[in-house]
Amino acid sequence: MQIDEAEQAIKEILPEKRFVHSVGVSETAGKLANRYGGDVYKARLAGMLHDIVKYFSDDELKAMILRKPGTWSDCLKYSDKLWHAPAGAVYVQDKFGIDDPDILNAIIYHTTGRKEMTLLEKIIFLADYIEPNRSFPGVDTVREAAERDLNEAVRLELQKTIAYLVAKQQSVYPKTFEAYNDLVMKNDKKTNEVTE
C-alpha cells in the first residue's frame, strides 16, 4: 500500500480533525525515522493508519480484538480508548492485506507502548504525541527531547501519560508501566556503565 492510498483510505473514514492528526503523525513519523535510522516508508504508513478505526463502535472494536488471536485482548479490561489500537491492526491486515509485523505492532502499541519497543513502535508512539497539531501542557518538552534522544522522549511521554492518568484516577494499562520501567532501567544501566 502506498502512502497516498493510505491517506485516501483514512480520508474516507475519519472526521477531518482526526484525518489532519493522522497526516501529521505520518509526517512526524517519517522525520523521526529519518533522524533515527528507521524505515521511513513503514513509519509514514503506520502513522497514517494508526487511528483508522478510532471512531468505530465499541462493539465493532471488541469483535475485531477477540477475532484475531495474538492481539492483546486483555486491553478490554481497561479503558475503551485503548481498543482502537489493536483493532486498527486487525482492520488494516484484513482490509488492505498489510501483514508486516513491524507495522502491525506499531499500530497495536501506539497508545500504550510496551517493554522492549522496537524502533518503529517508539517512532509511532512518539509521533502520535508530538505531531504539530497537538497542543497541551508538556508537549513542547517532549518535542525538544525528540530532537536529541528518542528513548528520552519516549520515556518522558510515558511519564507524562502515567502522571496524567493517575491524576485523573484512571487505570493505567500494565504494558505502559512496563514500557516506562524498561526505558528507565536501560537508562540506569547505561549511566552505570559510563560511570564505572
Side-chain angles (χ1 to χ4, degrees):
M1 176 174 233
Q2 298 303 313
I3 305 302
D4 60 335
E5 294 172 318
E7 185 172 344
Q8 186 58 41
I10 66 167
K11 189 176 183 96
E12 294 171 7
I13 295 173
L14 295 175
E16 180 67 18
K17 186 175 179 181
R18 185 58 51 172
F19 169 73
V20 169
H21 162 72
S22 295
V23 171
V25 172
S26 178
E27 291 170 355
T28 302
K31 290 174 186 173
L32 289 169
N34 192 49
R35 178 177 292 123
Y36 291 107
D39 186 311
V40 174
Y41 165 75
K42 287 183 181 184
R44 293 280 323 274
L45 186 61
M48 194 68 74
L49 297 172
H50 80 287
D51 273 349
I52 194 163
V53 298
K54 179 96 173 167
Y55 296 95
F56 284 30
S57 73
D58 284 353
D59 288 341
E60 289 172 300
L61 297 175
K62 187 175 183 179
M64 281 188 256
I65 292 167
L66 293 174
R67 193 175 77 244
K68 286 282 187 175
T71 59
W72 39 289
S73 59
D74 65 331
C75 76
L76 294 171
K77 295 184 238 171
Y78 296 87
S79 172
D80 58 3
K81 292 178 179 161
L82 305 177
W83 299 1
H84 73 283
V90 172
Y91 183 86
V92 301
Q93 190 173 28
D94 291 349
K95 181 84 171 172
F96 306 123
I98 295 171
D99 58 3
D100 184 314
D102 292 336
I103 294 170
L104 297 175
N105 283 327
I107 293 170
I108 288 169
Y109 296 108
H110 84 265
T111 57
T112 63
R114 69 171 171 166
K115 183 178 180 180
E116 300 289 336
M117 278 194 281
T118 66
L119 176 60
L120 183 60
E121 289 168 20
K122 289 175 186 175
I123 286 169
I124 301 305
F125 182 76
L126 185 59
D128 185 36
Y129 194 83
I130 67 168
E131 64 92 4
N133 300 293
R134 295 282 204 190
S135 178
F136 50 85
V139 71
D140 287 334
T141 305
V142 180
R143 285 184 181 124
E144 290 166 12
E147 295 289 327
R148 297 184 310 270
D149 185 322
L150 181 69
N151 287 331
E152 177 64 11
V154 171
R155 186 198 60 76
L156 272 172
E157 176 185 346
L158 286 161
Q159 178 182 322
K160 289 178 180 301
T161 298
I162 291 167
Y164 173 82
L165 292 170
V166 169
K168 295 280 188 182
Q169 297 183 357
Q170 294 178 1
S171 63
V172 180
Y173 187 59
K175 283 182 175 56
T176 304
F177 279 125
E178 292 169 7
Y180 176 77
N181 287 338
D182 183 49
L183 287 171
V184 169
M185 291 166 70
K186 284 179 180 170
N187 187 55
D188 287 349
K189 184 177 179 185
K190 190 169 93 175
T191 302
N192 289 337
E193 288 172 357
V194 170
T195 59
E196 289 177 358

